[in-house]
Amino acid sequence: MKLKVVEPLRALFKDEVRRVGKSLNIDGAILERHPFPGPGLGIRILGDVTAEKVRILQEADSIFINSLKSSGLYNDVWQAGVMLLPVQSVGVMGDERTYENAVALRAVSSTDGMTADWCHLPYEFLAKVSNDIINRVKGINRVTYDISSKPPATIEWE
């Protein structure tokens, strides 16, 4: 059996695919979905990928993305995600010292992904997301926000 892969939209950029989808009346919730890294969340884990690191990243990423949606900021952002850093830091939770992971939140605006600028999310929003991640995700005690533009930085870290 000789099969051939047919990819009619392969040469189009994301903004062009969205324009085609809009002309086909595809639901806006599908069209405006943020790009997801092709290699999956593993590309957002700097260093060795383990089941525990994937769990931590999935939980933190879910909090960030769902917070963008519930705050009405999701469609103001072209792509967002959490990066699990190969850094552990000292923190205090309750009366105990902790030595846990640090993450970086990344949110960018772009039209085609070739260039991107960091999103100026409200401080109140970032403070709430940081607190939610630290309080709800076992294994994280520090949250940072990446304000690098592309270029020189890329959207993903790996």
Side-chain angles (χ1 to χ4, degrees):
M1 184 189 273
K2 292 187 176 187
L3 300 175
K4 183 177 180 182
V5 175
V6 178
E7 299 176 280
L9 304 179
R10 181 175 157 212
L12 300 180
F13 290 103
K14 290 173 183 76
D15 60 319
E16 295 167 322
V17 171
R18 285 180 174 151
R19 281 198 302 264
V20 170
K22 189 173 183 179
S23 71
L24 295 172
N25 295 318
I26 293 177
D27 184 352
I30 294 170
L31 284 180
E32 297 306 319
R33 186 169 182 253
H34 291 180
F36 190 79
L41 285 181
I43 199 166
R44 294 181 178 169
I45 298 172
L46 280 66
D48 295 337
V49 177
T50 66
E52 177 64 4
K53 289 179 181 179
V54 170
R55 178 202 61 80
I56 290 169
L57 183 61
Q58 285 174 325
E59 290 179 22
D61 196 69
S62 177
I63 290 168
F64 186 33
I65 298 302
N66 288 329
S67 295
L68 286 167
K69 290 177 180 176
S70 66
S71 298
L73 296 168
Y74 185 81
N75 289 334
D76 296 337
V77 173
W78 189 77
Q79 185 172 351
V82 177
M83 312 302 157
L84 184 62
L85 306 179
V87 173
Q88 291 192 317
S89 67
V90 175
V92 177
M93 295 182 133
D95 293 332
E96 308 250 339
R97 279 186 179 260
T98 62
Y99 193 67
E100 295 181 332
N101 297 291
V103 295
L105 306 180
R106 180 92 164 122
V108 298
S109 58
S110 182
T111 55
D112 58 11
M114 303 306 252
T115 62
D117 195 20
W118 62 280
C119 290
H120 298 247
L121 297 174
Y123 293 136
E124 297 80 14
F125 170 81
L126 292 171
K128 182 176 181 339
V129 169
S130 175
N131 285 337
D132 288 348
I133 289 172
I134 290 169
N135 290 329
R136 293 171 42 197
V137 181
K138 185 178 183 327
I140 296 175
N141 70 358
R142 188 171 306 269
V143 175
T144 64
Y145 188 55
D146 180 351
I147 61 168
S148 306
S149 293
K150 176 185 181 184
T154 57
I155 294 172
E156 301 292 347
W157 281 34
E158 281 283 3

